Amino acid sequence: MKPTPSTTSAPSGRSRAASAGETVPENKRGLSRQWVWAFPFAALTFLLVTLALLGINAATDLADAGRFVRWSLPVAETLHNFTMISVMGSLLFAIGIVPRFSDSTWRKNRINMAHKYSAEQRQKNLERDEYPPFVSLLNFGAAMAVAWTILALCVLILAYADISGRPVSLTSAYTSELTSYITTIDAGKQQATTVIVAAVVATLIFGVRSLMGLFLTLALSLIALVSMALGGHSSGGDDHMGAVNSLGLHLLGVALWCGGLIALAYISRQVSAQDAGSGTLTESARGSESATERRAPMAVVVLRRYSVLALGGFVLVTLSGIVNASVRMNSWDEIFTTSYGQLVIAKLMLTLVLGAIGALHRMSLIPGMQRGEVGLIRGLWTAILVEIVLMGATSGLAVSLSRTPPPVPETLSEDASPVRIITWYDMPPEPHRAEWFTQWRFDWFWVAVILFLAFAYLWAFVKVKRAGGQWPIVRLLSWFVGLFLLNYVTSGALAVYGRVLFSAHMVEHMSLTMIVPIFLVLGAPVTLLLMALEPRQDGTRGPREWILRLVHSGWSKVITNPIFAAVNFAGSIVVVYFTPMLNFVLKYHVGHEFMILHFLITGYIFSLVLIGIDPIPNRPGYPFRLIMLIATLGYHAFVGIAMMSMDTLLAASWFGNLGRPWGLSAIDDQKLGGSLMWGIGEIPTMIIAVMVGVLWAQNDKKVQRRFDRKEERDGDAELNAYNDMFLDLNERDERRK
């Protein structure tokens, strides 16, 4: 008999341990909440020690704001980071790791009777019966969000004092200067953005209760990570965008890994209590002793889910940290000969130790807890406490590292070329045949996305195959061809020359919207993932539940509407190339990444509506699909010819000031880009049209076979009835005559 959530509160192994005379005291099954503060304590300790030993925070002869500012700013930054990742970790746990309600079955019955109550009463009933750890997470997140807002404001004020060399004051002149810093200087804008994001998140987290609302709140909070990544130094390095992207990925990994651990520690006592209930384990995590059971104690389930998250965070933090450090140093010798390199090594060592402890959790301690072995249960929580301390120490080193000048200069040299000033990169060599294959500049954000998509698809493919399912190899190959092309477009020669040639930029755009999506759509990733992912039965939303929620959401109904998809697909060209948007996507790093993401998603949705098999709310009939293609084909031709005939240079402040010593003039290169747009737009469109025709013919064959089978079953009763109707009408006409 399968245990219910109300009866399953401890693993069977614990009962065996208790019968042998060994018990697990309640205060040993989780950490007290005050241990969460070990993180900021360790962070501040390591911060102050490293600042003092390495002399990083010593006074300078030029523009020194004083001892108070010098020491208060890194302390405020450390506490700011702690509160920020605590908010993100709490939201992450709330939307996918712990359930909102204690008993999802009871909740469904309650919802079925909800029409008897007013909307206000229904909300009160639901909140009254929310799962205590879920409530604790949101309360903790709300408190941390308020602290995050205050600390972000403190960092903003202290950072200006540190940059300007003026002590903090309340005079009108100082306030005016601070306002100018916020509105005109990039660093001030980025720090002000963090303050606004923190304030909005603090407001939302107090009132939002739905999982989708919390998901959107978490997404909003991640804007702060983008702002922090853009504010990092390395403007004068050889790979500015590589430094920004690797730092952003590093911060994301820290938020997932460290923020999740803080949230776990905060609710560990609650999810380990006798009345904590149970949750769903995946088949691979159930173990041999409980292979037939889908549910396990909530502590085990939460730890299992967090361990997957922590593994991803560890990989992201480690690899992105190595990439970021390599961008900021000129040679390997500087690792050991500079303060910056020594801090990098210390931070890397602590990260690897944390990874080893995480591996111990996953391979030994969590399975031991699932079996109910008391010694391993105690060891697990002790190891988690050690992790909190080490993560805090690593966070303190990170703040010290951010205040240490890297070996690579942070600013552009005085003799920087125009192309270096405008694009952040030196002029690439004149493109011949070989250069289109040898010139690479890795966009680490898209490299990480591509690797994740490749791993997820391959994992799902193997999972389906092992379960005895079938999945066409041609779809697997199509998916990986699409990812390979995406990597070339975002990191290969098109990305390199797209910064200095309008024609290469246009090929990059058309590849993202017309070529890459075809292969990705034919891979049918959503269908494969839904086959591989196991549904949860404890009220939480795992990856499968979130995919289904998004597929059937109102937002999905809008963007996959054939008319919207076609207008968005075609209209994006006008919006980007004939408005100031083009300058934005060229000048700003966020704009460049937004352009890639927008064109890729726009093309993917358009192809999905036409030739995809993944589920969408509404898919148009085949005649309408062909009409969409014909209209799009004509539109691309019209815009391409318009560009070819223009005498006005688009984004003249960019392409007209690069000082390119080779190739066509800027205006002739723009006309070449228009012709390429016309040509590239036609060929994939014709291929899609052929595919739509083939799918239409296959669909007609399926319909005909269905009618044939029906005819065999009922002796063509429908046709006979149709003929009998006409015979009856004919007989009536004869009688009237």
Side-chain angles (χ1 to χ4, degrees):
M1 178 178 178
K2 184 180 292 187
T4 62
S6 60
T7 59
T8 307
S9 58
S12 57
R14 184 180 183 277
S15 300
R16 291 194 300 272
S19 63
E22 187 178 15
T23 60
V24 183
E26 193 68 25
N27 60 0
K28 295 296 184 182
R29 296 179 57 80
L31 298 174
S32 299
R33 288 179 176 175
Q34 58 264 30
W35 283 114
V36 168
W37 305 109
F39 185 103
F41 178 80
L44 291 174
T45 301
F46 271 71
L47 169 73
L48 298 176
V49 169
T50 53
L51 290 179
L53 290 179
L54 298 178
I56 300 171
N57 227 31
T60 59
D61 296 332
L62 182 65
D64 183 20
R67 181 184 298 272
F68 173 77
V69 171
R70 290 200 315 272
W71 290 96
S72 297
L73 178 56
V75 169
E77 288 176 339
T78 302
L79 296 177
H80 166 272
N81 295 343
F82 167 70
T83 54
M84 180 184 67
I85 64 174
S86 297
V87 171
M88 295 176 182
S90 299
L91 290 171
L92 190 64
F93 263 59
I95 66 175
I97 293 185
V98 300
R100 181 181 177 186
F101 298 95
S102 301
D103 189 338
S104 60
T105 303
W106 180 89
R107 173 178 175 259
K108 291 177 182 178
N109 294 333
R110 188 67 163 272
I111 293 295
N112 291 334
M113 298 185 295
H115 65 278
K116 298 180 180 179
Y117 305 102
S118 65
E120 182 178 357
Q121 185 61 42
R122 285 201 304 270
Q123 184 64 28
K124 288 182 179 180
N125 289 340
L126 292 177
E127 291 179 1
R128 186 181 302 121
D129 296 296
E130 285 178 336
Y131 191 44
F134 177 87
V135 176
S136 296
L137 284 169
L138 293 189
N139 291 339
F140 178 65
M144 290 295 100
V146 172
W148 178 23
T149 305
I150 297 172
L151 288 165
L153 185 60
C154 291
V155 169
L156 170 62
I157 297 172
L158 292 170
Y160 170 70
D162 187 53
I163 292 172
S164 64
R166 295 188 57 186
V168 178
S169 69
L170 299 177
T171 63
S172 59
Y174 187 89
T175 304
S176 177
E177 293 172 3
L178 180 61
T179 303
S180 178
Y181 171 71
I182 294 172
T183 56
T184 60
I185 306 299
D186 287 342
K189 293 177 182 179
Q190 291 150 5
Q191 290 161 356
T193 299
T194 302
V195 175
I196 295 171
V197 169
V200 174
V201 170
T203 303
L204 291 175
I205 203 171
F206 272 102
V208 173
R209 230 54 187 181
S210 69
L211 295 184
M212 179 57 75
L214 294 173
F215 176 84
L216 295 176
T217 303
L218 175 62
L220 176 64
S221 70
L222 297 180
I223 296 177
L225 301 184
V226 177
S227 178
M228 292 175 65
L230 292 172
H233 40 223
S234 78
S235 301
D238 291 333
D239 190 3
H240 169 70
M241 285 194 280
V244 171
N245 284 349
S246 59
L247 179 57
L249 293 171
H250 192 76
L251 294 172
L252 176 62
V254 170
L256 298 177
W257 188 14
C258 301
L261 186 69
I262 292 169
L264 172 64
Y266 190 79
I267 63 168
S268 61
R269 282 283 178 91
Q270 289 177 293
V271 297
S272 301
Q274 298 291 340
D275 58 350
S278 60
T280 307
L281 275 181
T282 60
E283 183 179 354
S284 60
R286 289 172 206 161
S288 58
E289 294 184 5
S290 57
T292 61
E293 300 294 346
R294 298 184 63 84
R295 303 182 73 84
M298 187 58 69
V300 174
V301 174
V302 168
L303 285 164
R304 285 282 188 185
R305 291 171 182 169
Y306 169 70
S307 68
V308 176
L309 187 72
L311 177 61
F314 166 74
V315 172
L316 200 57
V317 167
T318 304
L319 297 183
S320 62
I322 293 173
V323 170
N324 193 264
S326 66
V327 170
R328 299 171 190 270
M329 290 188 287
N330 295 305
S331 65
W332 289 101
D333 295 339
E334 292 175 340
I335 295 178
F336 305 100
T337 58
T338 64
S339 298
Y340 189 89
Q342 293 166 3
L343 286 174
V344 167
I345 289 294
K347 189 166 174 277
L348 178 61
M349 292 298 103
L350 284 177
T351 302
L352 294 177
V353 171
L354 285 167
I357 296 175
L360 179 65
H361 288 177
R362 190 174 182 85
M363 293 186 295
S364 178
L365 297 179
I366 296 177
M369 184 176 193
Q370 188 171 347
R371 294 189 300 268
E373 299 177 11
V374 176
L376 290 182
I377 294 174
R378 292 170 175 164
L380 173 69
W381 297 117
T382 302
I384 289 176
L385 178 58
V386 172
E387 273 191 292
I388 291 175
V389 174
L390 292 180
M391 280 185 178
T394 308
S395 177
L397 288 179
V399 175
S400 296
L401 191 64
S402 68
R403 297 188 61 79
T404 305
V408 173
E410 298 182 37
T411 57
L412 292 171
S413 61
E414 294 181 356
D415 60 345
S417 62
V419 67
R420 178 78 176 187
I421 296 172
I422 294 174
T423 69
W424 300 104
Y425 293 97
D426 293 327
M427 181 68 70
E430 183 176 0
H432 300 289
R433 183 177 301 175
E435 277 72 22
W436 292 109
F437 300 97
T438 58
Q439 291 294 316
W440 288 81
R441 184 186 298 145
F442 287 102
D443 186 324
W444 294 109
F445 171 76
W446 285 103
V447 169
V449 170
I450 290 167
L451 290 176
F452 173 77
L453 293 177
F455 173 80
Y457 195 97
L458 192 60
W459 170 85
F461 177 79
V462 173
K463 183 78 177 295
V464 169
K465 284 292 187 180
R466 287 181 176 176
Q470 298 296 323
W471 190 254
I473 295 294
V474 67
R475 293 198 179 276
L476 174 72
L477 295 177
S478 177
W479 178 257
F480 279 93
V481 169
L483 292 182
F484 173 79
L485 292 176
L486 178 60
N487 186 47
Y488 177 76
V489 172
T490 56
S491 299
L494 286 179
V496 174
Y497 287 102
R499 306 289 291 175
V500 297
L501 288 173
F502 182 87
S503 56
H505 174 84
M506 182 57 69
V507 175
E508 180 185 14
H509 159 209
M510 296 302 294
S511 299
L512 286 169
T513 195
M514 294 292 296
I515 299 175
V516 174
I518 296 176
F519 292 97
L520 296 180
V521 165
L522 292 177
V526 174
T527 301
L528 179 62
L529 285 173
L530 291 177
M531 293 172 61
L533 291 168
E534 298 179 46
R536 293 186 180 179
Q537 296 181 343
D538 56 7
T540 56
R541 279 189 193 164
R544 191 177 194 278
E545 288 75 19
W546 276 112
I547 290 174
L548 289 173
R549 178 68 179 84
L550 293 175
V551 165
H552 297 292
S553 65
W555 176 75
S556 177
K557 292 178 182 178
V558 172
I559 65 172
T560 59
N561 181 282
I563 297 177
F564 181 90
V567 171
N568 188 31
F569 179 75
S572 296
I573 300 173
V574 174
V575 172
V576 170
Y577 289 101
F578 297 98
T579 69
M581 180 65 73
L582 181 59
N583 287 307
F584 173 75
V585 301
L586 289 171
K587 182 178 180 180
Y588 296 102
H589 180 69
V590 172
H592 177 72
E593 300 294 0
F594 172 79
M595 180 202 72
I596 295 175
L597 183 64
H598 174 75
F599 283 140
L600 181 64
I601 293 179
T602 299
Y604 185 90
I605 293 173
F606 186 74
S607 299
L608 177 63
V609 172
L610 293 173
I611 60 174
I613 68 167
D614 282 338
I616 60 175
N618 296 294
R619 182 167 274 115
Y622 290 100
F624 190 80
R625 300 187 203 184
L626 290 177
I627 294 174
M628 291 172 59
L629 281 169
I630 294 172
T632 303
L633 181 64
Y635 187 82
H636 276 139
F638 173 78
V639 176
I641 293 173
M643 285 186 179
M644 293 169 62
S645 61
M646 288 178 60
D647 292 326
T648 302
L649 185 62
L650 299 175
S653 62
W654 184 279
F655 291 109
N657 293 324
L658 296 175
R660 179 162 42 84
W662 44 259
L664 299 173
S665 65
I667 191 67
D668 290 337
D669 183 66
Q670 178 177 297
K671 293 180 178 181
L672 175 61
S675 65
L676 290 171
M677 176 185 180
W678 183 7
I680 296 176
E682 285 194 2
I683 297 174
T685 303
M686 295 304 298
I687 294 174
I688 294 177
V690 172
M691 296 176 66
V692 170
V694 172
L695 292 173
W696 193 353
Q698 291 177 347
N699 183 70
D700 287 345
K701 290 181 180 179
K702 291 179 182 179
V703 173
Q704 185 60 48
R705 285 196 296 267
R706 188 163 62 248
F707 278 119
D708 291 342
R709 289 193 297 268
K710 184 176 182 297
E711 180 181 337
E712 293 175 0
R713 289 195 303 268
D714 58 16
D716 206 5
E718 184 176 348
L719 179 60
N720 292 334
Y722 186 73
N723 291 333
D724 290 343
M725 179 188 69
F726 278 102
L727 288 174
D728 182 60
L729 292 174
N730 186 53
E731 290 176 358
R732 292 181 185 179
D733 290 341
E734 291 293 335
R735 286 196 296 269
R736 290 174 183 172
K737 293 178 180 179

